[in-house]
Structure formats: C-alpha cells, structure tokens
Amino acid sequence: MGTASATPANLFAYSAATAQAAHELENFVRSRVTPAILAYSQTQSCPLPIDAMVLSRLRAILATDEEVKQVGQDFLKAGGDAASLLLTHQRVVTTDDALAAAEAALAAEDVERIDQGYPHDPAAARAALARLNDLMARNRGDSEFATSLLRQLGPRGLLNLLGKLAAMGHYDHSKGALPQVRTAQRGLSSLLAQATDPASPHHLDAGWTQALDTAAGRSVPVTPYLDVTGYQLLEPLLGNPGAHFSTPFLTTFGRDLLAYERSSPGGKPPWANPLVNRPMTNLISPGDAGYDPMVGLLEALGRNREAATELLDPHGGKSSTIEYLVALRGWPCDVGGAHTGQTALAEALRAAAATEPTDAAQRRIAAELVRALGDDLGGKVPGPLRSGVTDVLGAHMAAGNLNGAFGDSSSGKPTVFGEQYLRLVLADLAQDPGHYQHLASFETAYARLHFHADPDLTAASMGQILGALVKGRIDAVRSGHLSADARHNAAVDGISWAVNEALAQVPTKGTAAGLAMQGVQQLANRIEQHFHQDTSAQANRTGTELFTAGQEDVKRAVRDLADHLLTGQGQERRAERLAVDASSGYGQAYGLAGGKPPVG
C-alpha cells in the first residue's frame, strides 16, 4: 500500500471507492450469483467460477477498506475530528471477519457436497474435499472462520464429516484420495483447537463443547455396515501434533471420556477390542489407527502441561485417574503391535509431573504414580512407561522431593512418596543400565548441591536411593545369567533329544548290540549333563562386587562432600558418622527392596 495524504478529500475518495465496490458486488450477486444458484439446484453442477468471482470482489472491498482505515488514522493524527468524521460518513467498513464468514459458508456447502457425494459419487466428493482443504488452508489461524464453520456444522455435522473422511480414506483407492483425507483431518484438528479455545478472539461457547462431548459417546455411521463412536472419530484431531488444544477443552473432554470408559458395561468401552473397529479413523499418525480415543487425548495432554496436571491430579480424594490409566486399564495393541497408548501415557506423565516438580500438584501426581505402580503392579513398570517414569522420578530427585522420602521406619511416620513402593519402583527401573545411570546421576548431583543445607538428611537419602537402585542392577545381572543358562541348556537338551531319537531307530538284535546301545545312550546322557551350565555362582559373585563397590562409592562420596563443605571442630568425626549412616541406609534400602544378602 502506498503512502496516503492525510486529507479529508483523500479519505472521501477512498470511501467513495469502497461504496462503489459494494454497489458492484450487490449488482453482481443479483445478476450472476442468484441465477447460478438456481441453475445449480437444477443441474447439481458446482458453480466454481461464480464462487471465485464473489471472493475476488470481496477481497477488492477488503483491500479498499484497509486503505480507508489507514487514511483515517493519518487524518486523526493530523488533528482531524473523529466525531465529525463518523457523523458525516455513516457507513460499515468491511472487515476480515466478513470475508472469513463468507468463506466458512462456502466450506459448509462443500461439507454438504461430501456428505451427498460419498459413496454414491466419489469424484464429486473428492472435488468438494479438495475445495474444503483449500478454504481451510487459506483461512488457517482465522478464529472467525473456524468458529463460523463449526457452528454451521454443529457437533453431529462435524462427526458425520469425520465418518465420511474415515470411509474415504479406507475405501477410496483413487490417486490422491488418501493425502486429501489426511490434509482434511489436520485442518479440522486446527479448526477445532482454535474454535474451542476461550482465548481466541472468536470461539464457540461451552454449550457447543458440551454438545460435542455428548455426541461423541454415540455411534456414527462410517459405512452402511459399520458404526464407530464419535470419540474414535475425534481421536486423530486430538492426537494431531500440529494442533494445541486449550486446557478447558481438554479437561472437560478428558473427564467425559474417562467417565464414558469407566461406566461402560464390564468396564470395557467399544474400543477395548480393536478387531471390531474397522476402518482406521486416524490417517495422520503412522502406527495409530485411531481405534482408542484415549491415545489422542493423552497425546494432546503431552503438549499441554497445565491440562495434563489438572486432569491427572489426585487432589481432593477423587478416584485416581493415574491408577486407572497406569495399572487398571487395558491397552490394546495398535497397528503393527505397537503400544501407542502407553507411549502416549508416558508423554502425558512427563508433562503432568516432570515439568514443574516444585509444584504441589505435580508432586501429588508423582507420588500417586509411585503408589499405583507399587501397590497394583508390585513395582514393575510396564515397558512403554519406563522412560517416562524415569524422567518423572529424576525430575523430583533434582528438585529434592525424594530427599527424606525414606524416613525412620520405626517412627511409623508416613512420607509423601510411599517409601516401600518407591524402593520397588527404583529397583525395577534400575535394571535398565541407562535408567540406572540417569537416576543415580540426578541423586548424586542433588546431594552435591544441597549437602551443606542438611548434611544428615542428604547423606541418609542418598544412601537409601542408591541402595534401591543397586538392587535393580544386581537383579539385572542375575536375570541375565539365568536367561543365558536357560538358552544354553535348552540347546544342549535339543541336541541330546535328537541323538536319542536317532539311536531309537537303530536295530538292536542280540545281547551284544543291546549292551552297546545302552552304553552309547549313557554316554550321551553324561555328555548332556557335562555341557549343562549353571552360572548362578558367578552371578552371585558379580552381584556381591556391585553391592560392595556401590556401598564404598556412597561412603566415599559422603566423606568427600563433608570434607569440602563442613568445617569446625569434630569435622572428621562427623564426616565419618555421615558416611556410616549413608552406608547403613544403602544396605537397608537394598534389603527392603527385596535384595538378597550378597554372598561371595
């Protein structure tokens, strides 16, 4: 736009240009659009040229109005009177919102064409889908477009469109159909995120969102022979990594989804058995078929710390969502046998409990996570959750929340983190060398930084935590030896069985032949016994070495910290006492976590 002279004459000229453009548009609508719409209703052909010309005229008005607004601003800066200007020229300036609303109306028409066209006229449905994608791309980030389109569709209309997209993506094998469906799911995801965000300039009210939650629990036809729930159709929209849903939307939607699942007959919602849910509803994310809507919710929570914390916080004595998700809920395998749901849960746990460990809610979530794993699963952390749980506990170690988690057992005083459950979980995680190193480094780093503030508590806690961790390392060593022995001995047994089977086929006539055969079989049995291996003694020796080395490391670390940070009379005696206390806590935690006494 060029620089405009701030004079009333120029302002009036621009206003006149705008008015003229508006008149031209009105005449155009009367003379061209109305007859075209009538013709369209009779022939079912799509008036694409008419749409393009309407949009072109609207953009001309918009561009003119932008110049009018700029000149008005310059006029006011130059000392013009705003009141006289508005009274003299009473007119409505066309805005971006008007254009967005007009394009939303066109998009709603294309949605109707998709509904009418598929499956009877796939080509027409694909053409309408391409136009819908173009309109969504052109208005990306415009809250008026998003709100206006979704308001026109309504919750049921949105779910019906998603059902059509799932069917087209699965059954329409025409070139380009699948990419168009993916694009549409991504676009609708962004629209829904923006239109349900109370912080957007334009957004849907709570009533619309509640109606969506209600509709999501009902069946939506995908084909004449198959229905899925609305929750499943919304799964790819929530799981789309390119969309960020607001905290109010996610917490409301999440509570409704959890209530729907837990109130289903037998506690099993329709998606508990993925084999009955065809076709795939998620065409965005590889490995995620969209059968389980909880996956999409958890993926969205993983990108929204506030919503994840609010939804998973067990504060107030409410039924533990964490216990349900971590220990009680089933997680059916997804495409290719992947555990997509538990992987998404790990990300949600990171967001809810590892991002702000000094926050009281995140401490409650971490403590409830430990309790659920310890109480319901015996401290065994499921594979897909191990990395996420390690990060959560590492963050709380670094924040000092585990310092003092292991209190004086004789006092009976409860701790925020149930100490017995914490020992079991730490020991289980430490069976993975990477997780052991991660957790041990966090604890020793915290001790170095905070030893001076409370030497007694820090030394005791470090000994307890590292003792629980070394129990996991020793378990891993023993398990490795047992597994190796089992594989080796199974191979030896297989060879022995094959030899005996072959000998059984050899004819044994006469006493001499029979005696010879018995001798061969006895030799084969002795060979089998000879080659069987039992490395448990070696495992015990290795375990003892690990335990002893860890205990010495704890004492050395505490002595070093005390030597550098403690001063005054009796410093050496105090340092030694702290080292002994840490060593004692180390052995106690190892034993309480289930560790057997080390043997040589």
Side-chain angles (χ1 to χ4, degrees):
M1 182 191 303
T3 303
S5 175
T7 64
N10 283 336
L11 181 61
F12 299 156
Y14 284 121
S15 298
T18 301
Q20 181 61 35
H23 287 307
E24 290 178 5
L25 177 62
E26 182 181 6
N27 292 332
F28 176 76
V29 170
R30 292 179 182 278
S31 63
R32 301 288 295 278
V33 176
T34 301
I37 291 175
L38 292 174
Y40 166 72
S41 65
Q42 295 173 359
T43 65
Q44 297 297 310
S45 61
C46 178
L48 275 177
I50 302 298
D51 291 345
M53 294 174 73
V54 169
L55 294 178
S56 175
R57 296 287 181 172
L58 286 171
R59 291 192 186 96
I61 292 177
L62 178 63
T64 305
D65 286 341
E66 288 298 327
E67 294 203 34
V68 170
K69 286 187 283 187
Q70 181 63 52
V71 171
Q73 290 173 358
D74 293 341
F75 176 66
L76 294 175
K77 289 178 183 177
D81 181 75
S84 62
L85 179 66
L86 293 174
L87 289 171
T88 305
H89 303 280
Q90 296 179 6
R91 54 181 299 276
V92 178
V93 177
T94 306
T95 65
D96 292 347
D97 289 348
L99 176 60
E103 297 215 319
L106 296 176
E109 292 177 6
D110 282 321
V111 171
E112 181 66 22
R113 294 183 186 113
I114 294 170
D115 183 55
Q116 294 177 355
Y118 194 84
H120 309 294
D121 189 353
R126 286 194 299 273
L129 179 58
R131 291 191 300 273
L132 174 62
N133 284 336
D134 180 62
L135 286 165
M136 289 194 293
R138 196 158 60 221
N139 291 277
R140 183 179 294 114
D142 191 318
S143 62
E144 170 61 26
F145 175 85
T147 303
S148 181
L149 176 57
L150 291 179
R151 187 177 290 121
Q152 291 180 68
L153 296 182
R156 291 293 296 180
L158 172 62
L159 296 177
N160 184 65
L161 171 60
L162 294 173
K164 291 287 184 179
L165 293 178
M168 292 174 69
H170 191 73
Y171 296 110
D172 189 344
H173 302 296
S174 304
K175 183 178 180 181
L178 185 57
Q180 287 283 7
V181 170
R182 286 197 182 103
T183 299
Q185 285 188 335
R186 291 191 184 99
L188 291 168
S189 173
S190 297
L191 291 185
L192 183 62
Q194 186 168 33
T196 55
D197 185 355
S200 293
H202 303 277
H203 58 270
L204 298 163
D205 58 26
W208 194 98
T209 303
Q210 188 57 54
L212 177 66
D213 292 338
T214 301
R218 298 171 181 165
S219 296
V220 179
V222 173
T223 72
Y225 314 101
L226 175 67
D227 292 354
V228 298
T229 66
Y231 281 122
Q232 291 171 289
L233 294 171
L234 290 167
E235 193 275 346
L237 273 61
L238 271 74
N240 176 24
H244 182 84
F245 285 85
S246 69
T247 297
F249 178 83
L250 288 178
T251 52
T252 300
F253 185 90
R255 290 189 183 104
D256 287 343
L257 176 57
L258 285 163
Y260 179 90
E261 280 199 354
R262 302 183 79 167
S263 63
S264 297
K268 292 185 176 181
W271 45 84
N273 179 10
L275 297 179
V276 302
N277 292 306
R278 302 292 186 192
M280 294 168 58
T281 59
N282 189 333
L283 300 166
I284 299 176
S285 304
D288 179 7
Y291 301 139
D292 187 347
M294 189 62 71
V295 177
L297 172 64
L298 292 171
E299 288 175 338
L301 291 174
R303 297 185 290 272
N304 187 323
R305 177 192 64 79
E306 184 181 30
T309 303
E310 184 175 336
L311 191 62
L312 299 181
D313 183 5
H315 181 61
K318 58 189 176 185
S319 178
S320 171
T321 298
I322 288 189
E323 182 179 32
Y324 170 71
L325 295 174
V326 169
L328 304 180
R329 186 187 192 272
W331 294 97
C333 292
D334 216 313
V335 179
H339 292 277
T340 313
Q342 288 182 307
T343 301
L345 175 56
E347 292 301 318
L349 289 171
R350 284 189 180 95
T355 49
E356 295 287 344
T358 57
D359 177 68
Q362 294 213 359
R363 287 197 301 272
R364 289 193 296 268
I365 293 170
E368 175 62 11
L369 173 62
V370 169
R371 188 205 65 78
L373 290 169
D375 193 18
D376 293 292
L377 301 180
K380 303 299 182 184
V381 184
L385 297 183
R386 297 180 74 82
S387 178
V389 175
T390 296
D391 287 344
V392 169
L393 293 183
H396 286 269
M397 282 182 181
N401 295 338
L402 302 191
N403 215 32
F406 302 104
D408 181 1
S409 300
S410 62
S411 69
K413 182 181 179 180
T415 58
V416 175
F417 287 83
E419 56 184 282
Q420 179 60 15
Y421 297 144
L422 182 57
R423 290 189 189 96
L424 294 175
V425 173
L426 289 173
D428 185 65
L429 291 173
Q431 293 188 48
D432 300 325
H435 297 329
Y436 169 84
Q437 189 61 41
H438 183 81
L439 293 168
S441 62
F442 265 115
E443 178 57 26
T444 53
Y446 176 83
R448 290 191 186 98
L449 290 173
H450 299 276
F451 186 85
H452 65 282
D454 193 338
D456 294 274
L457 181 60
T458 303
S461 294
M462 184 169 70
Q464 289 268 5
I465 289 173
L466 294 181
L469 291 176
V470 83
K471 192 268 181 182
R473 287 192 70 192
I474 294 173
D475 283 349
V477 168
R478 287 174 174 161
S479 177
H481 278 274
L482 287 174
S483 297
D485 288 350
R487 290 193 301 270
H488 174 86
N489 294 336
V492 171
D493 291 344
I495 295 172
S496 177
W497 178 86
V499 169
N500 286 319
E501 282 293 305
L503 291 174
Q505 306 303 319
V506 177
T508 57
K509 294 182 179 180
T511 304
L515 292 173
M517 182 62 67
Q518 288 179 2
V520 172
Q521 288 177 333
Q522 290 173 1
L523 177 61
N525 291 336
R526 284 198 296 272
I527 291 174
E528 176 184 342
Q529 294 171 4
H530 175 75
F531 281 102
H532 266 203
Q533 71 178 27
D534 180 0
T535 60
S536 58
Q538 180 183 344
N540 287 334
R541 287 194 297 272
T542 303
T544 299
E545 292 169 1
L546 288 172
F547 178 88
T548 302
Q551 195 169 37
E552 290 302 317
D553 287 343
V554 167
K555 289 192 289 188
R556 187 182 307 109
V558 171
R559 287 195 193 99
D560 289 344
L561 289 170
D563 290 342
H564 285 88
L565 299 174
L566 299 183
T567 59
Q569 188 176 7
Q571 182 270 338
E572 291 184 1
R573 289 194 303 274
R574 189 180 183 193
E576 186 58 31
R577 179 181 62 77
L578 290 171
V580 170
D581 289 346
S583 174
S584 175
Y586 174 94
Q588 181 190 39
Y590 172 81
L592 290 174
K596 297 178 181 179
V599 294

